Amino acid sequence: MHRPIGGYAVNTEAAQEFRVVLVEDHPMFREQLSQLINKESGMTVCGEADNIHDALQLIESKGAEVAIVDLTLKGPSGLELIKNLKAKEIDIPVLVLSMHDEALYAERVLKAGARGYITKNEASKEVMTAIHAVLRGEIYLPARIASRILESVSVGRKNNGGISQLTDRELEVFELIGHGRSTREISNCLHLGMSTVDTYRARIKTKLHLENSSQLHHEAIRWVSEGQKASA
């Protein structure tokens, strides 16, 4: 049977084994995370996916108690998955485990419906602490991330070079540009029309005060490179 904890249905059978779905596009990291979770008493990985479509099917079919989701997936991002789960009214707590800039993404994923955010450079113990917290119905953020979010609320967020002005979809397109993806590749990856991608590119240039595509590519590559270094 299940009983609600913090609005979520959590398995309370005698075995007390919580089922976890991993949504991560890097097989090696997914394997390491799976091993870590399966070693934890009362916890098991019941399914793995590297894209939104497979993840939704797994979550709906496996009856998992928690989903651990990366932001970068094959196709649309983990942020889109979180929004889809909310739109479908699938009440499963989501913990985002990602390499992305926490200052930019943590608040976004919480607003989308995630219950926690943690970066991949955290120790294994911190990761397990986060999983247990969201299973209890809590919202989990490492202290430094929570402090940044509270500070942004109390004193106002810095512009961050204009990046914070981008919508979630614009940010997704911007990141793909930074990874060297062409308009056609972005269109295929996000399942959007090429004209729609061009519209997003134009909006990004306007918001970031970039004059042409060359400046857009340069700024996107610089941002992705600096973000990865900051997360390393």
Side-chain angles (χ1 to χ4, degrees):
M1 63 180 291
H2 291 71
R3 66 182 176 85
I5 296 181
Y8 299 102
V10 177
N11 189 10
T12 59
E13 297 291 347
Q16 288 286 310
E17 191 163 74
F18 297 114
R19 292 158 295 184
V20 183
V21 166
L22 302 183
V23 188
E24 160 69 51
D25 71 328
H26 287 93
M28 183 177 295
F29 184 81
R30 196 167 61 235
E31 180 180 354
Q32 294 172 345
L33 184 58
S34 180
Q35 291 175 354
L36 174 67
I37 292 171
N38 286 331
K39 288 179 181 178
E40 185 79 358
S41 177
M43 201 172 291
T44 185
V45 174
C46 65
E48 301 178 11
D50 61 9
N51 63 83
I52 285 182
H53 179 266
D54 291 347
L56 285 171
Q57 286 190 331
L58 274 175
I59 290 170
E60 290 184 292
S61 65
K62 294 292 186 178
E65 279 83 19
V66 63
I68 301 177
V69 178
D70 191 3
L71 291 178
T72 300
L73 301 174
K74 292 183 178 179
S77 71
L79 188 55
E80 290 302 308
L81 171 60
I82 297 167
K83 292 178 179 179
N84 284 345
L85 289 170
K86 186 174 183 179
K88 291 175 177 287
E89 298 184 343
I90 300 175
D91 287 331
I92 180 173
V94 174
L95 171 66
V96 173
L97 178 60
S98 182
M99 63 172 285
H100 286 75
D101 182 1
E102 60 201 35
L104 186 58
Y105 281 96
E107 190 171 354
R108 288 176 187 254
V109 302
L110 293 180
K111 286 181 177 179
R115 300 295 295 178
Y117 187 97
I118 188 170
T119 57
K120 289 182 177 179
N121 61 336
E122 297 290 351
S124 298
K125 182 178 179 180
E126 183 90 10
V127 174
M128 296 312 303
T129 297
I131 295 173
H132 282 291
V134 298
L135 278 170
R136 291 193 300 268
E138 301 171 7
I139 293 177
Y140 185 87
L141 293 172
R144 69 178 185 284
I145 301 179
S147 177
R148 288 180 183 180
I149 291 178
L150 290 173
E151 183 178 2
S152 72
V153 171
S154 62
V155 302
R157 186 180 293 100
K158 293 182 179 180
N159 200 322
N160 193 27
I163 302 298
S164 61
Q165 299 179 52
L166 302 183
T167 65
D168 293 340
R169 182 63 89 181
E170 289 166 355
L171 186 59
E172 192 172 20
V173 171
F174 187 62
E175 182 182 351
L176 289 171
I177 294 172
H179 284 292
R181 301 287 188 90
S182 66
T183 297
R184 182 176 298 278
E185 289 172 329
I186 296 172
S187 172
N188 292 334
C189 179
L190 301 182
H191 308 300
L192 300 172
M194 291 183 62
S195 60
T196 302
V197 176
D198 284 334
T199 297
Y200 283 124
R201 289 170 60 99
R203 290 176 181 172
I204 295 168
K205 284 190 289 187
T206 298
K207 289 182 178 182
L208 302 186
H209 306 292
L210 304 173
E211 296 181 0
N212 50 51
S213 294
S214 177
Q215 288 186 2
L216 173 61
H217 285 109
H218 176 78
E219 183 65 18
I221 292 170
R222 182 192 66 79
W223 181 75
V224 167
S225 176
E226 290 184 356
Q228 290 177 338
K229 290 177 181 177
S231 299

